[in-house]
Structure formats: C-alpha cells, structure tokens
Amino acid sequence: MLNHNPLKACRVRVVLSCLMYLCIGFGALELLANRCFLREVIVTSIVLACEVTKVICALILLAKEGSLGRLCREWTLVGSLTASGLPAAIYALQNSLLQISYRNLDSLTFSMLNQTKLFFTALFTYLILRQKQSVQQIGALVLLIIAAVLLSIGEGSGKGSSGNNPDQILFQGIIPVLIASVLSGLASSLCQWAVQVKKHTSYLMTIEMSVVGSLCLLASMYKSPDGEAIRKHGFFYGWTASTLIPVIFNAVGGILVGLVTAHAGGVRKGFVIVSALLVTALLQLVFDGKPPSLYCLLALPLVMSSISIYQKYPYRAKKKEA
C-alpha cells in the first residue's frame, strides 16, 4: 500500500511552480527591460528600486502568513549577519569581479569561465551541506555547463577579442572571473545552508540580503558615475510608468530565487537560469521575429537531456551489508 504524504506532495507542487515561474520570468525579463527602460535611465536607480520592491513584497508575504511579528521579536543582528550578511557581501564582490573581467576578456573566454559557477555550486553544496551527486548528475552538470557556454556565446557573439596584453588578460580577466565563479557557488550554498540548516526563512533572507546589498550600492555611489548622475538629474531620471513593470518582475523573481534555493537547492537554481536563456530565445522569436541562433539550437537538446538525467538519477547511498 502506498504511503501518500499530502504535505510532501503539496511542497513538491509549490517547488515545481516556483521553478516554472522563475524560468519564464527570467526568460521574459530581458525583453521587458529592452521595451520598458529608456536609455537615459540610471542603472543604479533601477537596481535600488528592485531591492526596495523585494523588501516590500517579502514583508507583505510574511505578514500574510502571520509570521512577521514573531520574526521581528526573534530577530538579532548577529543572526542576521551570520545568515545573510556574508552571502550578500560575497555576491557584491562577485559582481564587481565580473565587471572587471568582462572588460578584459573576449566573449568566448568569459562565457566558458563564468559557467564554472555551476560546478562550484555543486562542490560547495557538498562541502557545506554534505549533499552528494551521483555520477549521472555530475555528467548532467557537465552537459549543462556546455549548454550555458553555447547560449552565452550566442548572446555575446558581437563582442570580439579584447586585444589586451597577456598579463592583463590573466590578472584582470581570467583570475577575477574564476574567483567570481567560486564566490557565486559559495554564496549560493551559504544561502541554502542558512535556510535549510539554520531555519532562516527565505523571505527574511530576501529582506536582509536586499538591505545589505542596497547599503553596499549606496556606499559605492559616493564616487561612481551613477551616483553623480543621480545627484545631478535625480533618482527617477528617465523613468516612465512602464519602467515599473520589469522592476516588479525582477523583485518577484528575487523572492522566487529564495524559495527555489530553500526548497530545491542552488544546483537546481542553476538549471532554471540556463533554461531561462532558452525561454528568452523563444520569446524573441515570437515577439521580435528573431530566429534562435545556431548556438541556441545546439544548446536546447543539451539542456533538456541534462535536466532529465539530473532528475532521473539522484544520488542514493549504498546500503551497508549486514
């Protein structure tokens, strides 16, 4: 007789729904941004607005489920910094390293090295959470990394060789992107650890990481070009009513990322993000009439195969013989 667990079945449905919405949302975000953002919009104002919107949405969701008051009473600065402060700081450093690397590498090299973050996510998930991968799942991750490289090359094929000297390519290109990939895997695993082991709710993680990220961004605005532009033209310079659409979309996506990391793990989040690139290609075909590139067509069967293999062959501990 089957032991049907309604709570577990409900949780699986919720996770699958989050994965699907996240994939479609990330896939549509680029098209929305291209249509809704004017060139004059200051990028930092968009990022800050997304973080504030995430905080508001997360607070509303906490209030709706009735846990906001309890979390406010139990919240401590030390606990917050331990669970959310470190991953937020790591992500901020990672983004800075990626910006440095992108300016000093050609598209092919940058894309290939940047996708190693999927491997490091699996590695740190094992080291921190002791979650093992089967041989088939490791093979699926390799297929996914290849697909991600193909999709990234297709997106950035307009960027040619950087033409920099070898030392600059190594120290300002290759090393920064590899460190950024390691940091991405570490931060993703730390977030998963905080939610699954320390029982930090994903909504609270979203709020705390958004606050820390916003503070880091505000500090960087002191001497940045965007900071000067905001002081000169105002925070909402170039905004229109339609600018709010991708901002809200991005904020909801950020909350879903937290839920996916909490219930499905950082590795599966990587599968969703790569799959979203295929959704973007499909939406570009439907709305812009732009056919998918050869890279996209090559990546499609790889992504589908990797997802199927990863789900079909989970790691199973060997039974000890009596």
Side-chain angles (χ1 to χ4, degrees):
M1 191 172 180
L2 291 174
N3 183 18
H4 182 68
N5 188 333
L7 186 61
K8 185 176 180 180
C10 180
R11 181 187 168 191
V12 170
R13 286 196 296 271
V14 170
V15 171
L16 289 175
S17 298
C18 288
L19 289 168
M20 182 183 68
Y21 291 142
L22 190 59
C23 181
I24 296 172
F26 275 179
L29 191 58
E30 184 179 341
L31 269 72
L32 285 172
N34 289 336
R35 283 166 168 75
C36 300
F37 290 160
L38 299 179
R39 283 190 159 208
E40 295 80 10
V41 173
I42 303 168
V43 175
T44 300
S45 70
I46 295 292
V47 177
L48 280 172
C50 287
E51 297 300 330
V52 172
T53 307
K54 271 194 282 188
V55 171
I56 294 171
C57 290
L59 286 171
I60 292 172
L61 290 169
L62 283 173
K64 185 177 180 181
E65 68 178 20
S67 59
L68 181 59
R70 177 181 59 81
L71 288 174
C72 287
R73 291 190 298 271
E74 295 175 355
W75 185 88
T76 63
L77 179 60
V78 174
S80 173
L81 292 175
T82 303
S84 307
L86 184 57
I90 290 173
Y91 275 129
L93 178 57
Q94 174 213 350
N95 290 332
S96 298
L97 289 170
L98 287 177
Q99 292 301 318
I100 294 170
S101 177
Y102 187 73
R103 290 195 294 267
N104 291 283
L105 288 178
D106 60 89
S107 178
L108 174 61
T109 306
F110 178 84
S111 298
M112 290 180 65
L113 294 176
N114 188 38
Q115 299 311 326
T116 57
K117 62 189 176 186
L118 297 169
F119 165 76
F120 287 114
T121 300
L123 175 63
F124 281 112
T125 299
Y126 168 70
L127 293 175
I128 296 173
L129 296 166
R130 311 309 293 177
Q131 290 185 358
K132 298 180 180 180
Q133 311 286 331
S134 67
V135 175
Q136 293 90 338
Q137 286 182 320
I138 293 172
L141 284 172
V142 172
L143 289 178
L144 187 70
I145 290 172
I146 295 171
V149 170
L150 289 171
L151 289 165
S152 299
I153 293 170
E155 285 295 311
S157 57
K159 187 185 176 194
S161 175
S162 58
N164 293 325
N165 64 62
D167 286 343
Q168 185 173 349
I169 290 173
L170 176 62
F171 292 107
Q172 297 183 30
I174 294 174
I175 291 178
V177 72
L178 285 176
I179 295 174
S181 294
V182 174
L183 292 176
S184 175
L186 175 60
S188 179
S189 300
L190 286 173
C191 289
Q192 189 175 341
W193 169 81
V195 173
Q196 293 183 353
V197 178
K198 302 296 286 183
K199 303 304 179 184
H200 220 60
T201 71
S202 61
Y203 297 142
L204 184 58
M205 282 282 294
T206 297
I207 293 170
E208 292 171 343
M209 291 187 67
S210 293
V211 170
V212 174
S214 297
L215 291 175
C216 292
L217 198 58
L218 288 170
S220 70
M221 284 172 54
Y222 180 67
K223 286 191 176 181
S224 70
D226 276 9
E228 292 180 8
I230 288 175
R231 287 190 290 272
K232 182 178 180 181
H233 301 291
F235 186 85
F236 294 105
Y237 179 72
W239 279 57
T240 62
S242 61
T243 306
L244 290 171
I245 298 173
V247 168
I248 295 172
F249 231 78
N250 189 284
V252 173
I255 291 174
L256 289 176
V257 164
L259 290 171
V260 167
T261 302
H263 299 293
V267 176
R268 285 188 174 85
K269 183 187 72 175
F271 278 84
V272 170
I273 292 172
V274 175
S275 301
L277 296 174
L278 295 174
V279 174
T280 299
L282 175 62
L283 293 175
Q284 284 178 337
L285 174 64
V286 173
F287 293 102
D288 295 338
K290 179 182 175 183
S293 66
L294 175 62
Y295 295 106
C296 182
L297 295 176
L298 290 172
L300 177 60
L302 293 178
V303 172
M304 294 176 67
S305 300
S306 65
I307 292 173
S308 175
I309 293 170
Y310 195 89
Q311 290 295 113
K312 191 175 180 180
Y313 300 100
Y315 175 80
R316 289 185 174 89
K318 294 180 181 179
K319 294 181 180 179
K320 294 182 179 179
E321 295 182 1

